[in-house]
């Protein structure tokens, strides 16, 4: 029996950016090719070659857009936009030699080739300014409208499904972003446009201290609230790997609560925090991958979490716009911290200081806060959602300490569900008690790793008593991690259903 059956359409994607960075690192270690620019690892070889990015996530391609990130439409070697080199939306022929002809034909050839590998559709990274547009040489309103309307025509002709509008000379100009959506509506209303506040990886960070909360971050909350009034999708933007859990949770819960006040129809994209996306029914922008380094080891060690999250969203609890459902948060704020000064990454530029990121201990969507029994002095982050279709999801997410890495304090979860509806469980749970609305003693209990294609009858491994089912942490781990590959550090993710 397979509980996983596609039912819902997602506006989510696999994004090439982090994979471009990983390819850069792999090549530099192997001393085959090296470039100072992550952008230079987006070309025919690295996308369509035998081990190219188009071959990623065969399990998910029919559910996701393949999104070409920064670099696809510019020459090699560009570091910045000082000369207005970005924003052409013309496929760079040196990178993709098969993309010949007029700009719209180039784009169509690129998109068609991706779709031939089974991807649902194609998205492109878009600079938030026209090519040649810098502060000393800005287009007039009419010139700008003509420029972008032409590119909407190209995208319509080429079958491009998604624009990820990012940084550029006009990236913080709310009116420009609003006009983009208006011009799109005139020409290609089916195109999905994602906007984002162009912000750093640490919420609330200023020059003197680390606040750690999104709501306290200068004018950023105001800007993201304005974006949510017209955007199709709002991305929560860059985070650090070590502190990504609290950073992402805090941004998502702020957006859901703020936008709900004025009935925002926007969707939130929480990027690569897969279990945040699954637990709160928001869109996912996968930055992970299934690449292997020169020794055959996985570069990203939690890619199976992405598979589980997408399958939950596409089969059981699809992403909801901000306006659907209230959000409740716990009274306690948890904080994780890290000093990045000695990291061999771009994060070292933040200097020799401890940076904190904080988020509520509990966040629930469309439901009361989860009933949790804490088994240790510390608490994990816990998210839950009772979807409007009745599916229930709960996630227990880890904390971070610099000297310990990631760890998940032990908890017992006590949840309720209707007897005929699914439950999604994500993360490490020591004990799960489910109270159903009817007697379960004549039912069989099935559980399935959300990355698997076969459910397992676990009835004899559970404790049943009238309307209650109890699962141990060992059972949750056994089923929920059954599809983890060697060196895979993905946490459990499973669906439970009574039959």
């Amino acid at each position: 029996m397979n509980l996983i059956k596609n039912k819902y359409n997602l506006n989510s994607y696999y994004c090439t950016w982090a994979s471009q960075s990983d390819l850069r690192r792999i090549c530099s270690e192997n001393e085959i090719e090296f470039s100072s620019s992550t952008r230079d690892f987006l070309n025919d070889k690295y996308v369509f070659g035998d081990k190219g990015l188009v071959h990623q996530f065969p399990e998910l391609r029919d559910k996701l857009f393949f999104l070409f990130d920064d670099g696809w439409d510019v020459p090699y070697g560009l570091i910045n936009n000082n000369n207005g080199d970005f924003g052409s939306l013309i496929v760079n022929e040196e990178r993709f030699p098969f993309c010949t002809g007029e700009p719209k034909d180039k784009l169509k050839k690129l998109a068609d080739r991706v779709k031939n590998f089974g991807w649902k559709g194609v998205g492109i990274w878009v600079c938030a300014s026209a090519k040649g547009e810098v502060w000393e040489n800005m287009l007039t309103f009419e010139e700008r409208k003509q420029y972008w309307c032409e590119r909407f025509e190209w995208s319509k002709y080429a079958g491009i499904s998604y624009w990820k509008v990012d940084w550029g000379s006009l990236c913080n100009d709310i009116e420009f972003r609003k006009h983009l959506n208006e011009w799109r509506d005139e020409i290609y209303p089916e195109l999905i446009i994602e906007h984002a506040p162009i912000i750093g990886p640490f919420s609330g960070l200023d020059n003197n201290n680390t606040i750690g909360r999104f709501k306290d971050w200068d004018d950023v909350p105001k800007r993201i609230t304005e974006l949510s009034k017209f955007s199709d999708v709002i991305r929560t933007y860059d985070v650090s790997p070590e502190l990504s859990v609290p950073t992402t949770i805090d941004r998502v819960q702020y957006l859901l609560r703020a936008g709900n006040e004025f009935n925002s129809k926007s969707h939130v994209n929480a990027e690569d925090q897969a279990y945040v996306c699954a637990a709160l029914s928001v869109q996912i922008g996968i930055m992970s991958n299934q690449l292997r380094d020169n020794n055959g080891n996985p570069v990203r060690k939690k890619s199976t979490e992405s598979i589980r999250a997408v399958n939950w969203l596409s089969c059981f609890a699809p992403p909801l716009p901000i306006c659907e459902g209230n959000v409740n948060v716990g009274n306690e704020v948890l904080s994780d911290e890290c000093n990045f000064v000695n990291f061999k990454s771009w994060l070292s530029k933040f200097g020799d200081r401890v940076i904190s990121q904080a988020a509520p201990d509990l966040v629930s969507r469309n439901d009361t806060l989860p009933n949790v029994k804490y088994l240790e002095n510390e608490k994990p982050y816990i998210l839950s959602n009772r979807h409007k279709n009745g599916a229930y999801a709960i996630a227990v997410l880890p904390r971070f300490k610099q000297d310990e890495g990631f760890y998940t304090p032990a908890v017992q979860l006590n949840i309720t569900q209707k007897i005929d509806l699914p439950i999604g469980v994500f993360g490490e749970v020591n004990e799960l008690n489910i109270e159903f609305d009817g007697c379960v003693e004549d039912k069989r209990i099935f559980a399935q790793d959300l990355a698997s294609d076969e459910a397992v009858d676990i009835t004899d491994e559970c404790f049943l008593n009238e309307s209650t089912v109890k699962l141990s942490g060992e059972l949750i781990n056994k089923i929920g991690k059954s599809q983890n590959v060697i060196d895979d550090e993905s946490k459990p993710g499973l669906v439970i259903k009574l039959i």
Side-chain angles (χ1 to χ4, degrees):
M1 178 188 297
N2 187 357
L3 300 175
I4 299 173
K5 297 178 175 62
N6 280 354
K7 291 178 64 177
Y8 303 106
N9 181 52
L10 306 183
N11 290 330
S12 296
Y13 54 76
Y14 160 69
C15 172
T16 64
W17 182 252
S19 298
Q20 292 168 231
S21 179
D22 290 339
L23 287 168
R24 176 174 179 253
R25 185 168 61 253
I26 292 169
C27 290
S28 65
E29 289 173 355
N30 205 30
E31 298 182 354
I32 297 174
E33 298 180 46
F34 181 71
S35 168
S36 60
S37 175
T38 298
R39 294 185 184 96
D40 291 352
F41 288 83
L42 192 62
N43 59 26
D44 193 1
K45 171 184 175 181
Y46 292 118
V47 174
F48 298 107
D50 291 342
K51 296 182 180 180
L53 301 181
V54 78
H55 301 292
Q56 291 295 301
F57 294 107
E59 312 91 336
L60 303 178
R61 289 181 208 157
D62 62 336
K63 306 172 186 178
L64 298 174
F65 301 125
F66 182 97
L67 194 142
F68 287 87
D69 208 271
D70 189 346
W72 67 275
D73 62 341
V74 294
Y76 287 115
L78 284 183
I79 304 298
N80 56 52
N81 197 33
N82 291 346
N83 296 319
D85 294 305
F86 290 81
S88 74
L89 275 67
I90 300 173
V91 181
N92 184 271
E93 204 168 323
E94 185 180 2
R95 294 176 183 267
F96 300 99
F98 67 91
C99 293
T100 57
E102 297 297 315
K104 67 177 184 178
D105 296 310
K106 290 173 179 278
L107 199 56
K108 189 174 192 307
K109 289 176 180 178
L110 188 70
D112 287 349
R113 191 164 179 186
V114 170
K115 293 174 189 176
N116 286 338
F117 286 90
W119 291 90
K120 169 187 167 180
V122 179
I124 53 175
W125 182 93
V126 175
C127 179
S129 50
K131 187 177 189 307
E133 195 169 29
V134 291
W135 283 116
E136 61 272 17
N137 184 35
M138 302 299 282
L139 299 180
T140 66
F141 178 83
E142 289 303 321
E143 290 171 335
R144 190 172 290 152
K145 180 178 181 180
Q146 181 180 4
Y147 184 93
W148 290 106
C149 284
E150 181 179 42
R151 279 145 184 82
F152 287 127
E153 294 280 6
W154 295 349
S155 286
K156 183 177 182 179
Y157 173 84
I160 297 296
S161 301
Y162 199 103
W163 278 19
K164 175 186 178 181
V165 184
D166 204 340
W167 58 265
S169 300
L170 298 168
C171 62
N172 290 321
D173 188 327
I174 299 294
E175 288 302 309
F176 164 71
R177 290 181 177 272
K178 191 181 298 184
H179 287 313
L180 274 184
N181 279 53
E182 292 169 352
W183 300 330
R184 179 276 314 268
D185 290 344
E186 295 176 11
I187 294 169
Y188 186 19
E190 298 83 8
L191 179 71
I192 301 158
I193 299 183
E194 171 193 292
H195 294 289
I198 310 307
I199 52 180
F202 305 116
S203 298
L205 188 66
D206 61 27
N207 295 326
N208 302 311
N209 56 61
T210 55
I211 302 168
R213 293 301 306 276
F214 184 79
K215 68 181 180 64
D216 299 321
W217 199 2
D218 300 327
D219 70 335
V220 174
K222 179 181 178 181
R223 285 195 282 126
I224 203 168
T225 300
E226 287 300 309
L227 288 174
S228 70
K229 293 179 179 179
F230 62 86
S231 298
D232 301 323
V233 181
I234 303 174
R235 182 165 55 96
T236 52
Y237 218 71
D238 294 351
V239 295
S240 67
E242 291 73 21
L243 302 180
S244 61
V245 173
T247 308
T248 303
I249 290 173
D250 203 38
R251 293 178 185 180
V252 171
Q253 66 86 22
Y254 180 90
L255 260 172
L256 293 177
R257 296 169 74 192
N260 192 263
E261 293 181 4
F262 53 83
N263 202 34
S264 170
K265 302 297 191 298
S266 296
H267 279 258
V268 175
N269 183 307
E271 279 204 338
D272 204 39
Q273 266 300 322
Y275 288 173
V276 172
C277 298
L280 295 178
S281 283
V282 299
Q283 304 285 351
I284 184 171
I286 297 175
M287 304 286 275
S288 186
N289 57 59
Q290 299 162 319
L291 294 172
R292 299 260 168 180
D293 64 19
N294 297 310
N295 296 316
N297 301 314
V299 176
R300 303 271 170 168
K301 298 185 183 298
K302 295 184 179 181
S303 63
T304 312
E305 292 186 5
S306 299
I307 298 171
R308 293 175 179 135
V310 170
N311 281 337
W312 175 256
L313 292 169
S314 63
C315 301
F316 300 100
L320 296 171
I322 291 173
C323 62
E324 294 198 15
N326 295 322
V327 176
N328 295 308
V329 300
N331 293 323
E332 186 173 347
V333 174
L334 307 180
S335 180
D336 296 343
E337 58 187 34
C338 187
N339 187 328
F340 295 89
V341 66
N342 293 319
F343 281 48
K344 293 182 179 179
S345 76
W346 65 286
L347 297 169
S348 62
K349 72 178 185 179
F350 289 92
D352 187 7
R353 56 175 171 173
V354 174
I355 295 176
S356 297
Q357 292 290 274
D361 59 338
L362 302 169
V363 179
S364 72
R365 193 175 187 189
N366 307 309
D367 199 15
T368 57
L369 291 172
N371 182 348
V372 184
K373 181 179 179 180
Y374 298 98
L375 306 179
E376 298 179 15
N377 291 330
E378 292 190 88
K379 296 181 177 182
Y381 301 96
I382 300 180
L383 314 176
S384 69
N385 172 38
R386 195 171 299 278
H387 198 277
K388 67 178 183 178
N389 67 15
Y392 182 84
I394 191 161
V396 179
L397 301 180
R399 306 290 302 280
F400 179 83
K401 288 182 180 178
Q402 189 133 16
D403 56 346
E404 295 182 26
F406 291 102
Y407 66 101
T408 305
V411 294
Q412 176 193 98
L413 299 178
N414 305 290
I415 66 175
T416 62
Q417 180 59 305
K418 292 185 177 180
I419 203 164
D420 59 338
L421 295 175
I423 299 167
V425 182
F426 303 91
E428 295 179 336
V429 181
N430 289 72
E431 183 177 303
L432 176 64
N433 297 315
I434 311 168
E435 181 72 26
F436 288 96
D437 65 345
C439 182
V440 301
E441 293 178 346
D442 61 343
K443 299 285 187 179
R444 305 302 295 179
I445 304 163
F446 285 85
Q448 183 171 342
D449 185 330
L450 282 157
S452 172
D453 58 6
E454 186 174 355
V456 178
D457 187 337
I458 61 169
T459 309
D460 295 338
E461 299 179 74
C462 300
F463 173 80
L464 281 67
N465 181 23
E466 295 183 352
S467 61
T468 302
V469 175
K470 180 184 294 185
L471 284 74
S472 68
E474 292 79 8
L475 180 58
I476 290 170
N477 278 334
K478 184 178 79 168
I479 301 298
K481 295 169 64 175
S482 66
Q483 296 302 300
N484 283 21
V485 297
I486 296 174
D487 296 324
D488 190 342
E489 298 176 2
S490 296
K491 302 301 183 186
L494 66 157
V495 58
I496 301 166
K497 184 82 164 57
L498 272 58
I499 304 293

